[in-house]
Structures are given as C-alpha cells and as structure tokens.
Amino acid sequence: STIRKRLNNWEENNMSKKVAVIGEVSVPSNLETVAEVTDDCQFVLAAAPGGYEENLALWKEIEKKAGENTIFMLGSFNCFTGGLAAATNRPDRCVGVRMHVSPKDSSKAVAEISKGFDTSDEAMEAVKTFLNEKGVDTVDAPDLIGGIVARIMDVAVNEAAELIMEGVLPEDIDLALTTACGAEEGLLKVADSYGLDTVVQQSNVLFEEFNDYRYAPNAVLEKLVQVGRTGVKAKKGFFQY
C-alpha cells in the first residue's frame, strides 16, 4: 500500500526517526523528543487546551511544517480522532494517542491508541511499534472523547468524593482500596497527582458529551478546586503534601 511504501522510505531516505511533541501533552521522561516540527519528523504528538476548534487550529499550523510522510498522533482528550483527521490532508495517517505517565515513575507510560474512520492499519502499526520500542505500553481504545482512563477514573473519583460527603475520611478510602484491590497507590492520591482541576474539567467534558450524570463533578471536587486545593502541584488536595 501507499502507506507501507512511505514507511519503508523512512529508512531509504535517512529520515530522522524522531517525534515532535507540541502543546498540552505529557510524555515519559525517557522518551527523546524535539520541540519543533520539521519535515523529517517521523511523528508529531500534539494537543491544544480546549476543544475541536483549538486543536484543529494547532494541527493546521503543524501541517504547514510537517513532511508528507509524517504521522500525526492526536493527543487531545477533548476530541475524537476521526473528526480532527477528516480536516487534515492526511486522514489515513492520523492516530489517536492519549498518553498517561505514571505518577510514581515518570519513565513509565501507557498510551491509549484509537483509530479514526480513515486511519490505515499501517499507520496504527507504525505508532504502536514506535511507542513499544520506546518502552511505552499501548492499548486499543475507542475513538470517543475520554477514552479509557479518564472515563473510569473520573467516575471512581466522583464516587469517592460522594463517600467523603457522607463522612468517610479520604485516608480510609485509599487504605481500603489499596488493600482490597492490591493497588500500589490509593485512588485519591492518584487524583491529587493528576490534578483535581483536571479531573473536574474532564468530568465536565464527559458530562456534556454523554449527558450521563455519572460524570457530573461532585460538589466536594468542585469546592476543593475553587479554594485552590488542586492536588500535589498546590501541595494540598484531598491530602496535604
């Protein structure tokens, strides 16, 4: 196929096997990246704060600089791959990549990989192979806003906040979950590391998208964010740091 020929041509044309990372994207500390898009970048991973219009504008700018063989890794939580890909000149080379870096070990990460309507199998395989070679685990995710981690985590954190409203202590929630589930770190400490403002923002996006009250941010979460208790970065959230 045309995509397969392009992938093979990377080696033949001595293209730099590098990834440019632009905008609001977290990557593991051991992944070598560049901050500027050039026409010899094999991949570009990018996301803009905001929704479809903001991300489309970002990718339009990137497209002016990227080479014709470059694969776009769309990292936005707030958009689905197919919608953004259709507005580019390379919908077959657009792959959804939501990266999650471990809060305990910044060298570890997992990427949710999603396929748009026109994404080729070759582009999907190229992204998975590249990330796996760099030590990033990959999982297949639906091409829907929120993906896997955010949809599960936000509901769980909301339910934990509901328990806090009912008088349960945050430390008791985390102790119960870590012991019963064999987790290394409690849910609420993970949420603090993630950023409670991010959890609330994502919950609002999910609620608007799915019209499902499971995603509506709990009042405890909203109040914590309103008073600046956004988690580890503020040195206080559900817990003090």
Side-chain angles (χ1 to χ4, degrees):
S1 71
T2 300
I3 295 295
R4 177 55 62 190
K5 290 178 182 177
R6 284 173 177 152
L7 296 177
N8 292 337
N9 284 341
W10 280 329
E11 289 282 358
E12 296 170 9
N13 296 336
N14 295 316
M15 291 185 70
S16 299
K17 288 198 171 184
K18 60 186 180 182
V19 54
V21 176
I22 309 297
E24 300 288 315
V25 181
S26 296
V27 296
S29 57
N30 60 340
L31 178 63
E32 294 183 7
T33 65
V34 295
E36 295 292 333
V37 178
T38 56
D39 61 7
D40 66 340
C41 285
Q42 187 176 3
F43 302 97
V44 178
L45 171 61
Y52 175 82
E53 294 298 331
E54 291 83 358
N55 277 277
L56 179 58
L58 174 63
W59 282 108
K60 287 295 186 183
E61 287 301 311
I62 290 172
E63 207 157 34
K64 295 175 184 177
K65 303 175 183 178
E68 65 171 330
N69 295 325
T70 302
I71 290 178
F72 288 175
M73 299 196 292
L74 283 60
S76 174
F77 162 87
N78 297 330
C79 305
F80 70 98
T81 302
L84 280 176
T88 72
N89 63 13
R90 64 189 77 203
D92 57 335
R93 281 167 284 146
C94 289
V95 179
V97 178
R98 293 187 178 94
M99 191 82 72
H100 304 281
V101 179
S102 168
K104 297 195 72 174
D105 184 349
S106 63
S107 69
K108 294 183 178 180
V110 62
E112 299 180 29
I113 310 299
S114 56
K115 186 176 184 179
F117 293 115
D118 299 306
T119 305
S120 70
D121 292 338
E122 291 87 350
M124 287 284 288
E125 186 60 32
V127 168
K128 289 181 179 180
T129 299
F130 172 77
L131 291 175
N132 290 159
E133 287 176 351
K134 299 300 182 181
V136 178
D137 292 327
T138 57
V139 296
D140 291 328
D143 189 21
L144 296 170
I145 287 176
I148 297 172
V149 173
R151 289 176 65 183
I152 294 173
M153 180 177 172
D154 289 0
V155 171
V157 174
N158 264 332
E159 189 62 29
E162 186 70 27
L163 288 169
I164 291 172
M165 288 184 67
E166 295 169 5
V168 182
L169 296 175
E171 51 265 39
D172 287 344
I173 292 173
D174 271 10
L175 176 59
L177 288 175
T178 53
T179 303
C181 301
E184 293 185 5
E185 192 161 31
L187 172 67
L188 298 181
K189 281 194 175 180
V190 171
D192 274 350
S193 297
Y194 201 60
L196 300 186
D197 52 338
T198 300
V199 173
V200 168
Q201 184 265 336
Q202 289 182 346
S203 294
N204 280 322
V205 170
L206 290 169
F207 178 56
E208 182 178 348
E209 175 70 13
F210 295 105
N211 194 28
D212 189 332
Y213 278 94
R214 291 181 302 163
Y215 300 119
N218 179 277
V220 168
L221 277 171
E222 292 187 319
K223 287 178 180 177
L224 287 171
V225 172
Q226 287 170 6
V227 300
R229 298 180 66 100
T230 54
V232 173
K233 58 189 173 185
K235 300 192 183 302
K236 53 187 178 181
F238 285 113
F239 304 98
Q240 296 280 350
Y241 299 92

